[in-house]
Amino acid sequence: MNTKTDEEVELLREAGILVSKTLGMLASLVQPGVTTIYLNKMAEAYIRDHGAYPTFLGYGGFPYSICTSVNEQVVHGFPSERVLKEGDIVSVDCGATLNGYVGDSAYTFEVGEVSSEVKQLLQVTKESLFRGIAQAVENNRVGDVGYAVQEYAESFGYGVVRELVGHGVGKKMHESPEIPNYGKRGTGPKLTHNMTFCIEPMITMGKRFVKQLRDGWTICAEDGLPAAHFELTVAVKKDKADVLSTFFYVDEALKAKK
Ligand code: MG
Ligand code: MG
């Protein structure tokens, strides 16, 4: 199985911290009136200023440095001149390659005040990620992670997107194994010491079905209801996952905004 040395785990942590700080910087910028292309520009500058490369730029032909997915868009949305407005949500997925290792993290931001229903969707999606992380320990299996995410999200009547999954991460953004956000306990590849992967629940307020827009990238909830996406990277350890990226900087920025 795809495991890393302790040195590689530290390099992944450094890349993870950089994307975490980038998301923290964006958290302070997200507000009504801001365009998503502005967020892209600021993220790219921040990543390059810190000696890294925006991993997404050119990845499989993706033309931007971050993904910005608004409201019913789940993931892979193109930054554009679209102006964010009060009550929107925007999921920002960010990747940075630092010293040859990839950091990859995502957060769904509220734009101004959002409805209580949307707020709950975001809270539940984030909590489902933490429940998945809690299962990322040695001798568990990939299915234990997915089961924890799915069980929690579905208990609120939400949809768990099946078409896109988390993934191993290292020198490449997408390594084995795949980490689905659904699954059966005790099934799938066994988790071993220093496996590193991204857990990234994509949760819809309505049905779980998605469609791709004609741009060839943007994934939307088919029923048009809002969707959320949160992502962190972990290294598997014996009793507790070592979380290599963090929402700390986002939390600090959001506190400072209030
Ligand atoms: Mg990502
Ligand atoms: Mg990812």
Side-chain angles (χ1 to χ4, degrees):
M1 199 31 83
N2 186 8
T3 61
K4 303 294 189 289
T5 64
D6 287 343
E7 290 73 22
E8 287 180 300
V9 169
E10 290 316 308
L11 287 162
L12 281 165
R13 192 191 315 277
E14 286 173 21
I17 296 291
L18 179 56
V19 288
S20 302
K21 286 182 172 172
T22 308
L23 288 172
M25 183 273 298
L26 295 177
S28 64
L29 298 179
V30 170
Q31 58 177 326
V34 161
T35 63
T36 52
I37 196 72
Y38 176 70
L39 300 178
N40 177 79
K41 185 182 138 199
M42 296 302 283
E44 176 167 358
Y46 189 90
I47 290 166
R48 290 188 188 276
D49 283 351
H50 288 79
Y53 180 81
T55 314
F56 296 0
L57 185 61
Y59 187 93
F62 190 80
Y64 299 96
S65 293
I66 56 172
C67 303
T68 55
S69 307
V70 181
N71 297 339
E72 80 286 358
Q73 298 177 350
V74 185
V75 287
H76 301 169
F78 282 2
S80 73
E81 298 297 336
R82 178 174 185 163
V83 177
L84 295 174
K85 62 180 202 313
E86 184 86 20
D88 282 346
I89 51 173
V90 58
S91 299
V92 178
D93 198 347
C94 181
T97 307
L98 179 65
N99 299 318
Y101 286 81
V102 174
D104 180 13
S105 183
Y107 197 96
T108 302
F109 297 105
E110 303 173 9
V111 183
E113 270 305 306
V114 305
S115 71
S116 56
E117 290 87 351
V118 167
K119 221 176 245 294
Q120 179 182 279
L121 173 70
L122 271 45
Q123 278 163 0
V124 169
T125 305
K126 197 197 284 184
E127 174 62 20
S128 75
L129 166 58
F130 292 130
R131 289 183 180 224
I133 289 172
Q135 295 299 316
V137 294
E138 288 173 30
N139 298 317
N140 265 1
R141 288 179 182 271
V142 165
D144 294 310
V145 175
Y147 176 84
V149 172
Q150 180 183 13
E151 207 232 357
Y152 186 68
E154 288 184 349
S155 74
F156 290 82
Y158 296 151
V160 176
V161 174
R162 304 286 203 277
E163 288 80 356
L164 301 121
V165 294
H167 50 90
V169 66
K171 287 183 178 170
K172 293 200 197 115
M173 179 156 63
H174 293 124
E175 300 186 349
S176 65
E178 291 193 339
I179 310 290
N181 297 303
Y182 56 91
K184 289 195 167 60
R185 279 189 280 201
T187 65
K190 188 178 269 193
L191 304 184
T192 57
H193 185 73
N194 277 3
M195 275 176 73
T196 53
F197 50 80
C198 297
I199 306 175
E200 49 180 312
M202 287 154 259
I203 305 298
T204 58
M205 190 182 273
K207 295 213 161 53
R208 67 176 172 83
F209 304 108
V210 295
K211 62 178 181 188
Q212 189 173 53
L213 296 189
R214 280 200 206 106
D215 62 19
W217 281 96
T218 312
I219 304 292
C220 291
E222 206 174 56
D223 61 13
L225 293 175
H229 180 213
F230 290 84
E231 174 179 25
L232 290 170
T233 301
V234 299
V236 172
K237 301 287 182 183
K238 188 161 179 287
D239 299 314
K240 192 171 185 289
D242 186 1
V243 186
L244 305 179
S245 48
T246 173
F247 295 144
F248 172 81
Y249 303 101
V250 168
D251 292 339
E252 290 295 297
L254 294 180
K255 263 187 249 162
K257 266 167 103 175
K258 277 183 187 156

